[in-house]
């Protein structure tokens, strides 16, 4: 009798469970009843002997609501196991945490399983009363305090006047769920004209899980005044990016005016634009090959593109591999740094990390630079292993699909 050869899989070394949460999407949470979540034990040896679940108070969940699936053996010689638990949909919606524990002969693993919070950080704003509300027969107005992106519905709002707690005079709305961004709450405080004009400070404090914040507001805080009580109007100019200029062939400049007095009519503002004539300087571009010490490791190769002596400080840098554009996530561009004051000039650099094999096998890499002082607004330099030195070419068109910012 001839026996077929058997494939023997060597046993993996013992390993305690490493657990991963399995959660239900927020849009799939029912309005009431139960929701099922789970945890996965992957690449363990030997297989998981038991799973158990508990809530945030370390109270065990009845085994009736827990389900354990048979372990699955992998070709790597390890096991994968899974467990599910049915919990209250209200607790899950309110971001209550639960804990899954798995045990085998090598040890015990624990993982926290909770509803995913919003990617947005909690934020809070406070709005001053409207000046015209004080002119009514009832000289009162409302300060509005709002907190958004809160992770749970357990939120509190507390108002203070000059540091003293207020027990009345305000109304709260919420917390209410707002899609996938968590919860929001709004609180409105009624203030009288005398308190506001006498520059009393009102404070709104919001407390939520892992979030506590306070915002202050008063007449002087809203109207930033100088040393003699004169309102200091803030003026800020916002320039266009060179990428927009290059692609759209036009420039949009913005003048932002803030901290105006309450009684200032925006239509009566007088805004004047002046033009400053400063000499433009085109960047000098250098491309450097990866250092030999890095290539000797046979892992990655770093190519550097240096821009020096340019003004103004708006520019763009793109990279090309073998005439194919490289995505912006694959390279780094530093912010421009001033290198001299007279004349005012800047420098910056960009680094591109590539595989050592790509460099060694002769791939070509091109650094494309855009600046308004260049003869054709763009220039490029190409380098590869064979030449070891960059070649210089001026171009008039480059990557017309580019829409991202310069740096």
């Amino acid at each position: 009798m001839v026996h077929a050869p058997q494939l023997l899989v060597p046993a993996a070394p013992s390993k305690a469970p490493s657990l991963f949460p399995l959660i239900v999407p927020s849009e799939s949470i029912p309005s009431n009843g139960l929701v099922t979540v789970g945890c996965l034990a992957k690449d363990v040896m030997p297989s998981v002997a038991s799973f158990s679940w508990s809530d945030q108070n370390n109270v065990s969940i009845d085994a009736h609501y827990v389900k354990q699936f048979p372990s699955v053996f992998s070709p790597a010689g390890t096991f994968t196991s899974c467990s599910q638990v049915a919990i209250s949909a209200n607790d899950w919606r309110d971001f209550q945490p639960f804990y899954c524990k798995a045990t085998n002969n090598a040890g015990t693993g624990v993982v926290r399983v909770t509803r995913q919070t919003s990617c947005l950080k909690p934020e809070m704003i406070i709005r001053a009363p409207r000046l015209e509300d004080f002119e009514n027969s009832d000289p009162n107005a409302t300060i509005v305090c709002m907190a958004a992106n809160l992770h749970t519905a357990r939120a509190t709002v507390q108002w203070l006047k000059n540091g003293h707690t207020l027990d009345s005079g305000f109304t709260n709305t919420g917390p209410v769920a707002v899609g996938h961004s968590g919860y929001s709450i709004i609180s409105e405080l009624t203030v009288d004209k005398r308190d506001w004009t006498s520059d009393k400070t009102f404070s709104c404090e919001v407390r939520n899980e892992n979030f506590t914040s306070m915002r202050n507001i008063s007449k002087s805080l809203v109207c930033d005044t100088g040393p003699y009580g004169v309102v200091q109007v803030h003026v800020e100019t916002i320039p266009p990016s060179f990428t927009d200029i290059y692609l759209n062939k036009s420039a949009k400049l913005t003048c932002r005016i803030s901290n105006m007095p309450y009684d200032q009519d925006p239509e009566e503002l007088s805004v004047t634009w002046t033009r400053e004539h400063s000499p433009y300087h085109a960047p000098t571009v250098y491309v450097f090959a990866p250092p030999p010490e890095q290539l000797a490791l046979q892992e990655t190769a770093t190519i550097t593109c240096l821009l020096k002596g340019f003004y103004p400080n708006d520019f763009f840098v793109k990279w090309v591999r073998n005439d194919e554009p490289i995505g912006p996530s694959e390279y780094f561009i530093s912010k421009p740094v001033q290198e001299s004051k007279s004349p005012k000039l800047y420098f910056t650099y960009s680094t591109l990390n590539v595989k050592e094999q790509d460099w060694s096998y002769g791939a070509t890499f091109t650094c494309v630079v855009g600046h308004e002082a260049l003869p054709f607004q763009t220039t490029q330099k190409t380098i590869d292993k064979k030449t070891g030195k960059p070649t210089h070419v001026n171009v008039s068109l480059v990557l017309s699909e580019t829409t991202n910012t310069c740096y």
Side-chain angles (χ1 to χ4, degrees):
M1 178 180 295
V2 179
H3 296 279
Q6 294 182 344
L7 177 63
L8 299 179
V9 178
S14 297
K15 184 180 179 182
S18 296
L19 303 179
F20 304 89
L22 304 174
I23 63 175
V24 61
S26 296
E27 59 269 18
S28 302
I29 302 175
S31 57
N32 51 45
L34 299 176
V35 63
T36 300
V37 298
C39 73
L40 177 72
K42 188 178 180 183
D43 298 331
V44 300
M45 183 65 189
S47 63
V48 173
S50 65
F51 283 93
S52 62
W53 288 81
S54 59
D55 61 16
Q56 63 178 343
N57 298 317
N58 202 28
V59 176
S60 297
I61 298 177
D62 192 298
H64 173 73
Y65 298 100
V66 178
K67 184 176 181 180
Q68 179 174 340
F69 295 89
S71 298
V72 178
F73 187 71
S74 71
T78 58
F79 290 89
T80 298
S81 305
C82 180
S83 175
Q84 289 182 347
V85 64
I87 57 176
S88 165
N90 291 330
D91 288 344
W92 184 255
R93 186 182 299 106
D94 202 24
F95 296 91
Q96 295 278 359
F98 295 86
Y99 297 88
C100 173
K101 181 169 70 174
T103 303
N104 69 355
N105 292 340
T108 299
V110 179
V111 66
R112 187 175 187 263
V113 183
T114 187
R115 179 185 172 191
Q116 286 184 328
T117 58
S118 168
C119 295
L120 304 174
K121 293 182 179 180
E123 55 184 34
M124 179 178 169
I125 60 173
I126 188 168
R127 294 176 180 170
R130 297 189 306 170
L131 185 63
E132 53 267 29
D133 289 344
F134 288 126
E135 306 303 326
N136 298 330
S137 57
D138 180 15
N140 293 328
T142 301
I143 299 175
V144 179
C145 176
M146 183 178 69
N149 307 327
L150 302 177
H151 293 166
T152 72
R154 296 187 301 276
T156 61
V157 177
Q158 181 65 65
W159 285 94
L160 302 92
K161 182 171 73 173
N162 282 350
H164 300 287
T165 301
L166 297 177
D167 298 322
S168 61
F170 58 89
T171 58
N172 297 336
T173 303
V176 295
V178 184
H180 303 306
S181 60
Y183 295 84
S184 67
I185 186 170
I186 299 175
S187 184
E188 297 179 315
L189 174 69
T190 301
V191 296
D192 60 46
K193 183 177 182 179
R194 183 174 56 183
D195 282 345
W196 182 256
T197 55
S198 61
D199 207 23
K200 294 285 195 304
T201 299
F202 296 90
S203 307
C204 175
E205 182 183 55
V206 176
R207 292 180 176 270
N208 189 241
E209 181 179 340
N210 300 324
F211 174 76
T212 299
S213 184
M214 177 182 287
R215 295 289 187 272
N216 301 321
I217 197 167
S218 65
K219 180 182 177 182
S220 60
L221 289 175
V222 174
C223 297
D224 184 13
T225 57
Y228 303 104
V230 179
V231 174
Q232 303 294 308
V233 177
H234 299 162
V235 179
E236 175 188 9
T237 56
I238 305 174
S241 70
F242 176 67
T243 303
D244 292 336
I245 297 174
Y246 180 75
L247 294 178
N248 302 325
K249 306 303 180 184
S250 64
K252 179 181 179 180
L253 292 83
T254 303
C255 180
R256 178 185 292 166
I257 305 170
S258 59
N259 198 51
M260 293 186 298
Y262 272 116
D263 55 355
Q264 174 67 57
D265 186 352
E267 296 183 357
E268 296 179 357
L269 283 175
S270 176
V271 179
T272 303
W273 287 87
T274 59
R275 182 173 181 176
E276 177 183 351
H277 295 276
S278 299
Y280 285 11
H281 294 271
T284 303
V285 181
Y286 306 90
V287 179
F288 301 98
E293 296 84 357
Q294 185 187 34
L295 294 174
L297 300 176
Q298 297 184 343
E299 294 177 353
T300 60
T302 302
I303 307 170
T304 304
C305 185
L306 175 66
L307 288 65
K308 281 183 59 65
F310 61 91
Y311 182 86
N313 64 349
D314 209 359
F315 68 98
F316 70 71
V317 171
K318 303 296 174 186
W319 286 90
V320 177
R321 178 196 292 115
N322 292 337
D323 298 327
E324 292 293 332
I326 299 175
S329 62
E330 298 186 42
Y331 53 85
F332 167 79
I333 306 175
S334 72
K335 291 185 177 181
V337 178
Q338 187 172 340
E339 65 176 62
S340 66
K341 293 184 178 180
S342 183
K344 191 174 184 180
L345 299 176
Y346 291 85
F347 78 91
T348 188
Y349 68 92
S350 176
T351 55
L352 171 67
N353 290 327
V354 301
K355 295 180 181 179
E356 184 273 337
Q357 296 91 333
D358 289 349
W359 174 261
S360 298
Y361 291 164
T364 60
F365 299 92
T366 302
C367 176
V368 182
V369 176
H371 190 272
E372 56 189 299
L374 288 166
F376 298 98
Q377 292 191 324
T378 58
T379 187
Q380 67 180 28
K381 283 197 173 183
T382 300
I383 192 171
D384 57 28
K385 178 184 177 182
K386 183 178 179 181
T387 61
K389 296 181 179 180
T391 57
H392 181 278
V393 179
N394 283 325
V395 295
S396 58
L397 294 175
V398 57
L399 305 180
S400 60
E401 74 276 13
T402 303
T403 57
N404 56 318
T405 56
C406 298
Y407 52 85

